[in-house]
């Protein structure tokens, strides 16, 4: 894994809903990306206080496990939209125990099938979430906050190369999308 792709305090990221993931894969293959992982199973466990203090502040605290790659991460996002930091951890059970000791509780689990590719300095992620569909994320991480506007332009150009349109942009996080699905009332027949 190229750790350089995941270094930094800031992440510029664009997420797109895919109507045709095969067409997206073909466009991506034409760019001859470097493969980091393919078809990993990821589980993101979100934690917050009982009062949902982190969510109210626009922050997320996540423990991520990836199989079969074996990668385990502690991730903090927010409160700014581009703020994201992640660190490798070796013992997720101990990390979860520590969070419980500090008063946090698990508030959500999200499972997805994920493939990660590198195209130059950018990482391209292809995700499938059961019940939500297929998504592509184009992103770059950096410590240089002044570079964020230029990276946004470069990622939009990459999106165009990959056949993605602004109409496909998904502005909600996976957390928000999953919470919307779980809070929708069940359909009833008249």
């Amino acid at each position: 894994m190229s750790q350089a792709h995941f270094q930094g305090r800031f992440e510029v990221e664009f997420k797109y809903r895919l109507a045709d993931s095969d067409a997206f894969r073909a466009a991506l293959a034409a760019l001859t990306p470097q493969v980091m992982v393919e078809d990993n199973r990821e589980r993101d466990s979100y934690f917050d206080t009982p009062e949902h203090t982190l969510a109210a502040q626009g922050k997320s605290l996540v423990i991520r496990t990836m199989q079969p790659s074996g990668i385990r991460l502690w991730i903090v996002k927010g409160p700014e939209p581009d703020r994201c930091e992640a660190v490798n951890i070796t013992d997720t059970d101990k990390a979860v125990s520590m969070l419980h000791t500090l008063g946090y509780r698990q508030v959500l689990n999200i499972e997805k099938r994920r493939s990660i590719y590198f195209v130059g300095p950018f990482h391209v992620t292809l995700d499938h979430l059961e019940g939500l569909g297929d998504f592509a994320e184009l992103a770059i991480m950096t410590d240089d906050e002044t570079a964020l506007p230029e990276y946004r332009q470069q990622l939009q150009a990459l999106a165009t190369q990959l056949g993605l349109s602004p109409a496909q942009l998904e502005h909600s996080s996976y957390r928000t999308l999953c919470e919307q699905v779980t809070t929708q009332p069940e359909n009833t027949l008249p």
Side-chain angles (χ1 to χ4, degrees):
M1 169 171 85
S2 177
Q3 285 298 100
H5 280 87
F6 301 102
Q7 300 280 326
R9 295 176 297 144
F10 303 99
E11 179 182 45
V12 178
E13 177 183 88
F14 292 101
K15 182 185 329 183
Y16 297 85
R17 282 191 175 268
L18 299 177
D20 186 346
S21 61
D22 291 334
F24 176 79
R25 283 182 189 272
L28 180 60
L31 298 179
T32 60
Q34 177 187 358
V35 177
M36 178 186 158
V37 295
E38 287 188 313
D39 293 322
N40 254 272
R41 291 285 179 192
E42 283 192 10
R43 180 183 179 117
D44 288 348
S45 298
Y46 288 77
F47 292 84
D48 206 335
T49 64
E51 301 79 23
H52 300 280
T53 305
L54 295 177
Q57 296 172 354
K59 298 176 184 175
S60 291
L61 171 56
V62 180
I63 301 293
R64 174 175 292 165
T65 57
M66 300 167 64
Q67 293 299 329
S69 69
I71 296 169
R72 293 173 297 277
L73 300 169
W74 179 301
I75 303 168
V76 176
K77 289 190 174 194
E80 301 89 4
D82 294 324
R83 186 67 188 226
C84 177
E85 293 185 79
V87 64
N88 288 308
I89 57 176
T90 57
D91 188 337
T92 54
D93 291 335
K94 181 61 79 176
V96 168
S97 175
M98 292 165 64
L99 288 169
H100 288 159
T101 298
L102 291 170
Y104 292 93
R105 63 184 178 96
Q106 191 169 328
V107 294
L108 180 68
N109 277 316
I110 297 176
E111 295 190 17
K112 58 187 168 276
R113 187 179 69 236
R114 171 170 277 188
S115 299
I116 303 172
Y117 307 91
F118 301 133
V119 176
F122 305 110
H123 49 278
V124 177
T125 305
L126 181 59
D127 291 330
H128 176 78
L129 284 79
E130 196 64 42
L132 289 179
D134 296 313
F135 299 85
E137 293 181 344
L138 313 181
I140 187 169
M141 295 190 74
T142 183
D143 280 317
D144 183 0
E145 192 170 7
T146 65
L148 299 178
E150 178 63 26
Y151 285 143
R152 281 187 192 91
Q153 290 178 349
Q154 291 175 11
L155 284 168
Q156 289 168 342
L158 178 60
T160 300
Q161 275 187 284
L162 291 168
L164 300 170
S165 74
Q168 293 174 272
L169 273 170
E170 174 56 64
H171 298 284
S172 298
S173 68
Y174 288 140
R175 178 181 184 167
T176 299
L177 293 171
C178 287
E179 287 173 341
Q180 289 171 347
V181 167
T182 60
T183 58
Q184 289 179 355
E186 290 186 37
N187 294 331
T188 55
L189 297 174

